[in-house]
Amino acid sequence: MTQQTTSEATEAKPVLDPATRLARAESIIHRNTLWALGAGVVPFPVADLLAIVAVQVKMLKEMSDIYDVPFKEDLVKKLVASLLSGLGGVSVGAILGGSLIKLIPVFGSVVGVVAVPVVAGAFTHATGRVFVMHFESGGTFLDFDPGKVRDHFKSEFEAGKDRASQLHQAEKSRAKS
């Protein structure tokens, strides 16, 4: 068994240049948006929502590693919930309704499998983009204020719906081939 020296054990990760860091962050957002699309297809109501939140927490953990920001899972879950509530009652109702509609045999499953993945992907995309902006400006989870980014988050969510819809269609086409 080899022993690490003190200097090896405390050696810091190399600092990434801004372009590399941003490219890695965008890659994390893209990959986790795909995971969220998959989580949205989970056929069990509420389980799909839990899976979507788990994807977002995982995404933010990956980003915290890139930006060297301390990660606290409980805090991150609260921030994700706060961003979701910031979308407004109609959007939150659509997400919950899309999940719960899966309880209706056949029809509910079809509607839920189409609607929930796109919303999950859009929400994940928007969450990632807002945190990249925050981390790029030197922020941490502790000083993140969902209220201050609400308008930007809504804008990213709208853009994310288009992006998630394109990705969802591409994945469905790929699955058919």
Side-chain angles (χ1 to χ4, degrees):
M1 183 191 279
T2 61
Q3 291 184 343
Q4 280 186 318
T5 64
T6 305
S7 63
E8 289 176 85
T10 59
E11 207 171 288
K13 294 183 279 184
V15 177
L16 300 174
D17 67 275
T20 301
R21 186 179 58 226
L22 193 56
R24 286 189 183 175
E26 290 297 330
S27 175
I28 288 169
I29 293 169
H30 178 78
R31 184 175 58 252
N32 284 284
T33 298
L34 291 173
W35 276 106
L37 290 170
V41 177
V42 170
F44 306 107
V46 182
D48 56 352
L49 298 177
L50 294 174
I52 293 162
V53 169
V55 167
Q56 292 187 352
V57 170
K58 177 181 92 58
M59 173 181 69
L60 293 174
K61 169 63 175 123
E62 292 171 0
M63 284 190 183
S64 74
D65 291 343
I66 288 176
Y67 287 95
D68 201 24
V69 171
F71 179 82
K72 295 187 184 335
E73 186 173 336
D74 291 343
L75 175 60
V76 169
K77 286 179 181 177
K78 289 176 186 172
L79 294 174
V80 167
S82 184
L83 285 172
L84 178 61
S85 69
L87 286 174
V90 174
S91 295
V92 172
I95 293 167
L96 291 173
S99 176
L100 294 176
I101 201 165
K102 293 176 181 179
L103 288 170
I104 301 170
V106 183
F107 172 76
S109 295
V110 170
V111 171
V113 166
V114 171
V116 175
V118 171
V119 173
F123 183 49
T124 301
H125 170 85
T127 300
R129 298 285 298 154
V130 164
F131 273 98
V132 164
M133 179 187 74
H134 182 67
F135 292 155
E136 283 289 326
S137 67
T140 67
F141 290 116
L142 293 175
D143 63 7
F144 182 78
D145 182 355
K148 287 185 178 177
V149 297
R150 184 166 287 132
D151 289 339
H152 181 62
F153 181 75
K154 286 180 181 179
S155 170
E156 290 291 350
F157 180 76
E158 290 303 317
K161 283 196 277 188
D162 291 336
R163 180 76 179 124
S165 182
Q166 292 168 357
L167 289 171
H168 189 54
Q169 291 300 324
E171 287 300 310
K172 282 181 6 184
S173 295
R174 211 167 99 205
K176 288 179 183 177
S177 348

